[in-house]
Amino acid sequence: MTTSQVNAVVCDPASVISAIESRFSCRAFSPDKPVLREQVDEILRIASCAASSTNTQPWKVYVLQGERRDALVAKVCAAHDATRVNSSLTAEYGEVDGYYPAEWVSPYIDRRRHNGLTLYGHLGIGKGEKDKMHAQAQRNYRFFDAPVGLMFTIDRVMGRGSLIDYGMFLQTLMLAARALGLHTCPQAAWNNCAKIVMPFIDAGSNEMLVCGMALGYADETADVNTYRTPREAVESFTRWI
């Protein structure tokens, strides 16, 4: 840590807090409002300041824009459509490494269900409306129309602690995006198509897909962007010893 970092004063704490509190999973972006490479580079530079155990910095980032972004979208959307016809294909496309637990338990399954039900309710998608559900799920694979798609990988040799480091990197990246007026949506959905994504981005066989992310300017007219998830009260997850 340099002297300037030690002595640095956060002159506008409200802006820091605002960046944190205004971050949300944006599900509708303005496709015609481009994000410059210089902006992406700056966001990644700031994100690289994130803490990591023994400074291992385990993150690897792949940026997709333009034709390459569109090509991946087309490829994965076609696979997503195919799995609807033949569910056995899901195993052929997805990553072996599990993102979610093998067995869900309370309270996590309750929060997950609540999130899905309230989001779909907000979108006017009722129970059993499979066409609408499929279309909404596929919005993930279109990066919610964001002009920039990010894929994050990690070397398989790294331990679970490195995934904690990765979480700090991703959060720092999302807050840096907010500081520059952009929004993001971290996406675990891409892990379901990891076997398509990884060769497409020319990732090494030693790498594992962590998640994807949409990056761009939020569509301020989209009703879905008014949806907010609840947060647990501090006293529900904190014990003073």
Side-chain angles (χ1 to χ4, degrees), residues 193-215:
C193 296
K195 293 178 183 176
I196 298 173
V197 173
M198 297 297 273
F200 186 92
I201 62 177
D202 199 26
S205 59
N206 60 310
E207 294 176 54
M208 177 182 78
L209 184 64
V210 175
C211 68
M213 185 180 291
L215 171 69

Side-chain angles (χ1 to χ4, degrees), residues 160-192:
R160 63 181 180 178
S162 290
L163 291 175
I164 296 173
D165 299 338
Y166 223 121
M168 291 188 282
F169 172 78
L170 293 171
Q171 178 73 351
T172 305
L173 188 158
M174 291 186 284
L175 297 182
R178 289 301 303 120
L180 295 182
L182 289 93
H183 277 282
T184 56
C185 185
Q187 300 170 279
W190 287 98
N191 295 59
N192 297 329

Side-chain angles (χ1 to χ4, degrees), residues 1-157:
M1 183 178 291
T2 65
T3 302
S4 60
Q5 286 175 294
V6 173
N7 297 332
V9 176
V10 178
C11 297
D12 186 9
S15 291
V16 178
I17 295 170
S18 178
I20 296 169
E21 294 184 336
S22 66
R23 186 218 63 79
F24 71 102
S25 293
C26 181
R27 293 181 174 88
F29 292 84
S30 298
D32 300 324
K33 195 169 182 180
V35 177
L36 302 178
R37 177 167 181 164
E38 291 78 12
Q39 291 175 291
V40 179
D41 281 339
E42 178 65 0
I43 289 169
L44 293 174
R45 184 196 66 78
I46 297 169
S48 73
C49 296
S52 62
S53 179
T54 64
N55 199 36
T56 49
Q57 304 176 68
W59 37 80
K60 295 184 179 182
V61 186
Y62 296 83
V63 184
L64 296 117
Q65 290 181 290
E67 292 182 0
R68 291 299 286 168
R69 172 209 171 277
D70 296 345
L72 178 61
V73 166
K75 199 174 185 71
V76 173
C77 284
H80 183 239
D81 287 338
T83 59
R84 188 181 182 192
V85 177
N86 182 1
S87 60
S88 66
L89 292 173
T90 303
E92 293 187 23
Y93 299 141
E95 179 62 89
V96 175
D97 306 275
Y99 187 95
Y100 292 113
E103 180 181 356
W104 286 96
V105 298
S106 239
Y108 314 111
I109 185 60
D110 306 316
R111 294 170 187 163
R112 176 179 170 85
R113 285 172 176 162
H114 180 269
N115 182 63
L117 288 171
T118 53
L119 173 60
Y120 275 32
H122 187 92
L123 294 170
I125 301 174
K127 186 176 181 180
E129 293 188 291
K130 294 183 179 180
D131 289 343
K132 290 183 179 180
M133 290 178 179
H134 181 78
Q136 179 59 31
Q138 194 167 105
R139 293 279 295 149
N140 276 282
Y141 304 127
R142 299 182 185 278
F143 290 109
F144 297 107
D145 297 326
V148 177
L150 302 170
M151 291 295 163
F152 303 95
T153 73
I154 189 170
D155 281 333
R156 294 180 185 277
V157 71

